[in-house]
Amino acid sequence: EAQVTQNPRYLITVTGKKLTVTCSQNMNHEYMSWYRQDPGLGLRQIYYSMNVEVTDKGDVPEGYKVSRKEKRNFPLILESPSPNQTSLYFCASSLRAAVKQFFGPGTRLTVL
Amino acid sequence: QKEVEQNSGPLSVPEGAIASLNCTYSDRGSQSFFWYRQYSGKSPELIMSIYSNGDKEDGRFTAQLNKASQYVSLLIRDSQPSDSATYLCAVNGGERAGKSTFGDGTTLTVKP
């Protein structure tokens, strides 16, 4: 089944404890992206990747890192999480940039 | 000014009516436009994509694009209670090809 998977789905952590949210797609998509969604707001793009080893900042990259070493994986790294990073995170992928995106199920992160 | 603005909602229509959702964008170079539907607690899923001026119809859904006015809309005919969701307008492919910008969403309720 074609899909985007994210892990973990739920995470409660404490300020400053490094964490990684994994994202994987099995559709051989070139483009992958991370978003965060906060109440009353749409999706805000954190980082995106046009292809392996090609990443760029979105609108809200501060406090996040990404890497794209393999086509199928695009992990999101929070090296020192803070409470303002409490949010719902979505990973998405698409065949290439600027076409329809397929979204993962979301990761709900709480930073205490 | 926000890069992508949607009518604020919430929008409530009776079953069988036409629901009209609107979106304006600021980047004149934008190339592709999408409407995603998001049920509460779920990930966004694509409803319509549109790339050129005019109308595009798919079943009960019609997307309209006017690049000169920087305006894109979604009409839902014969609205059903199952259409009750938040609708997100997304704009891609402007100055930075990989950038994907979403509006804050419009919540639609269809009353039986």
Side-chain angles (χ1 to χ4, degrees):
Chain A
E1 179 190 355
Q3 59 183 351
V4 179
T5 56
Q6 294 179 229
N7 283 292
R9 293 289 313 281
Y10 303 90
L11 179 60
I12 299 174
T13 189
V14 295
T15 299
K17 186 176 181 182
K18 181 179 178 179
L19 67 92
T20 299
V21 184
T22 65
C23 174
S24 183
Q25 50 92 8
N26 62 0
M27 295 171 279
N28 201 36
H29 284 171
E30 287 186 353
Y31 179 89
M32 297 185 75
S33 183
W34 276 103
Y35 300 90
R36 62 178 288 174
Q37 186 173 39
D38 301 293
L41 299 177
L43 298 166
R44 291 183 291 168
Q45 192 175 40
I46 303 170
Y47 271 94
Y48 62 89
S49 171
M50 302 281 275
N51 213 325
V52 175
E53 302 290 4
V54 181
T55 62
D56 203 353
K57 296 177 181 178
D59 289 322
V60 289
E62 296 78 18
Y64 305 94
K65 284 177 57 176
V66 293
S67 67
R68 185 95 181 271
K69 293 182 169 51
E70 311 166 274
K71 200 170 189 179
R72 64 183 294 129
N73 296 323
F74 190 44
L76 180 70
I77 303 156
L78 286 73
E79 296 216 323
S80 183
S82 63
N84 65 11
Q85 293 178 298
T86 292
S87 189
L88 177 59
Y89 291 86
F90 288 103
C91 179
S93 73
S94 60
L95 195 59
R96 59 184 183 277
V99 298
K100 69 177 181 182
Q101 295 180 66
F102 296 84
F103 285 83
T107 295
R108 189 167 292 280
L109 172 65
T110 301
V111 183
L112 302 174
Chain B
Q1 181 194 2
K2 287 185 179 178
E3 292 183 49
V4 177
E5 294 206 51
Q6 297 185 232
N7 44 340
S8 55
L11 179 64
S12 180
V13 300
E15 185 174 354
I18 295 175
S20 176
L21 305 163
N22 302 314
C23 175
T24 58
Y25 60 95
S26 60
D27 187 341
R28 281 200 169 274
S30 299
Q31 299 292 318
S32 50
F33 308 86
F34 306 90
W35 285 99
Y36 290 86
R37 177 177 63 197
Q38 185 177 27
Y39 292 114
S40 181
K42 300 294 186 183
S43 53
E45 56 179 342
L46 183 76
I47 297 296
M48 292 286 287
S49 59
I50 187 164
Y51 301 93
S52 55
N53 281 330
D55 295 359
K56 179 181 178 184
E57 188 174 317
D58 184 1
R60 296 185 295 112
F61 299 94
T62 300
Q64 299 173 316
L65 175 62
N66 183 326
K67 288 187 177 180
S69 300
Q70 295 174 247
Y71 173 90
V72 57
S73 67
L74 179 71
L75 296 177
I76 306 175
R77 289 182 301 282
D78 188 24
S79 296
Q80 301 296 309
S82 58
D83 294 327
S84 298
T86 296
Y87 289 80
L88 300 167
C89 172
V91 176
N92 288 53
E95 276 191 21
R96 293 162 61 200
K99 192 166 182 294
S100 180
T101 306
F102 284 74
D104 290 348
T106 299
T107 299
L108 170 68
T109 300
V110 181
K111 296 187 174 179

